[in-house]
Amino acid sequence: SDTLQLYVIHFLNSIVINYNIEEDKISSHPSLRCLELLSSRHIANAISHIVNKNCNDYELVEEIKLEIESNRILLEIQNNGYASSSSVNLVDICTKCQQAETFISIGTNILPTEISAAASCLDNLKALILSCKDKLFSLTDAELIAISSNCPKLEVIVLMDHVALTDSGIITISANCNKLRNLNIKGCDKITDMAIHKLTENCEELRSLDLYGCDKITDESLKSISIRSKNIEEIDIGQCLGVTDEGIKLLALNCKGLKAFDASSCYKL
């Protein structure tokens, strides 16, 4: 039987590529059926979300389907996680889906070079959500910079557990994507106050910032936020071990619109 099954579920406004792969039998051929389907400009232009995920990740996609506009399509690529690279050529797919505004990759073994090349094809991208399953699959600064250089409209960037990222990558995306409203760099433990200082300088519309587990962050970052991001609404500084009461006071005095705040496991408070 064909290992790649492609079907359209009209009432859910989604296209699903279900790649069932055996651990000892890995195909490296791209999805010809998918590319043929996307050769229809009407279908390709209707795709607003591209989601590449492990087959076990279910809830996120179901939530997106509930929110997606009636005239748009979600392209869902399911992968069981055994393959070391994608049998579905993400770059070819993204090249055809030029109107996509959201690109998500969660818990897969897709190499970061391919993720970067694929996302860089989407110059209308507004949301980039990349959850890293293992440090071997972390984006580097160069790969993140390539995405931000080609996707200046990004407003939401989630880079959970991409431990190879440093200040250089975050500073560059803040310069390239200055309409950024939501940044989640949870677990990116190389990030320091310098990156947050530049982020608040470059991204005046910042409303949500997740720094959980960024243990090099100190009160200096909170000072930068309190001075230049006074309209921020959500902050997570859990496990930011350098944060003290003084930094929290600055946020309380200056960020009056704050609606959600987490400082769990900040042991100096």
Side-chain angles (χ1 to χ4, degrees), residues 192-224:
T192 75
D193 295 326
M194 182 184 299
I196 306 308
H197 177 79
K198 288 296 184 181
L199 173 70
T200 58
E201 268 190 356
N202 293 329
C203 301
E204 296 180 356
E205 298 180 33
L206 191 66
R207 295 294 182 271
S208 178
L209 181 60
D210 192 334
L211 300 171
Y212 187 94
C214 298
D215 55 12
K216 294 180 175 59
I217 295 299
T218 73
D219 289 342
E220 286 301 310
S221 287
L222 303 191
K223 181 179 179 181
S224 296

Side-chain angles (χ1 to χ4, degrees), residues 77 126 149 177 185 209 226-227 234 249 259 265:
I77 304 167
K126 292 184 178 179
S149 297
C177 308
I185 49 175
L209 181 60
S226 69
I227 293 172
E234 300 177 351
K249 288 177 184 177
K259 299 175 182 177
S265 301

Side-chain angles (χ1 to χ4, degrees), residues 24-218:
D24 59 350
K25 186 186 293 184
I26 297 175
S27 169
S28 61
H29 298 295
S31 166
L32 296 178
R33 289 187 189 178
C34 178
L35 294 178
E36 287 173 3
L37 186 65
L38 295 178
S39 65
S40 164
R41 184 51 49 192
H42 175 75
I43 292 176
N45 284 344
I47 290 174
S48 60
H49 295 65
I50 299 172
V51 181
N52 181 55
K53 68 181 186 65
N54 187 290
C55 289
N56 296 324
D57 295 312
Y58 175 79
E59 293 183 359
L60 173 64
V61 173
E62 294 308 306
E63 290 176 6
I64 294 173
K65 287 176 182 177
L66 293 174
E67 298 175 358
I68 199 167
E69 296 177 17
S70 60
N71 62 338
R72 305 306 300 272
I73 297 174
L74 180 147
L75 175 60
E76 179 185 347
I77 304 167
Q78 298 181 355
N79 207 309
N80 73 359
Y82 286 124
S84 60
S85 62
S86 175
S87 65
V88 178
N89 193 313
L90 287 176
V91 177
D92 287 347
I93 290 173
C94 290
T95 299
K96 292 180 176 294
C97 302
Q98 290 295 303
Q99 300 306 311
E101 296 182 351
T102 299
F103 181 88
I104 301 173
S105 184
I106 301 174
T108 69
N109 288 348
I110 308 305
L111 296 174
T113 50
E114 184 175 355
I115 294 291
S116 175
S120 295
C121 297
L122 304 170
D123 54 11
N124 286 306
L125 206 60
K126 292 184 178 179
L128 177 72
I129 301 174
L130 305 177
S131 178
C132 185
K133 68 176 292 185
D134 186 276
K135 63 182 181 180
L136 296 175
F137 298 97
S138 171
L139 286 177
T140 64
D141 289 335
E143 289 154 352
L144 180 59
I145 290 168
I147 295 173
S148 69
S149 297
N150 290 286
C151 305
K153 298 178 184 178
L154 277 167
E155 298 177 5
V156 176
I157 299 178
V158 177
L159 300 165
M160 292 174 59
D161 299 319
H162 286 267
V163 295
L165 293 176
T166 72
D167 287 348
S168 177
I170 302 305
I171 290 170
T172 304
I173 65 169
S174 73
N176 291 340
C177 308
N178 56 17
K179 302 217 181 288
L180 196 61
R181 296 177 59 85
N182 183 323
L183 178 64
N184 182 332
I185 49 175
K186 178 180 179 180
C188 298
D189 56 7
K190 291 184 173 65
I191 305 304
T192 75
D193 295 326
M194 182 184 299
I196 306 308
H197 177 79
K198 288 296 184 181
L199 173 70
T200 58
E201 268 190 356
N202 293 329
C203 301
E204 296 180 356
E205 298 180 33
L206 191 66
R207 295 294 182 271
S208 178
L209 181 60
D210 192 334
L211 300 171
Y212 187 94
C214 298
D215 55 12
K216 294 180 175 59
I217 295 299
T218 73

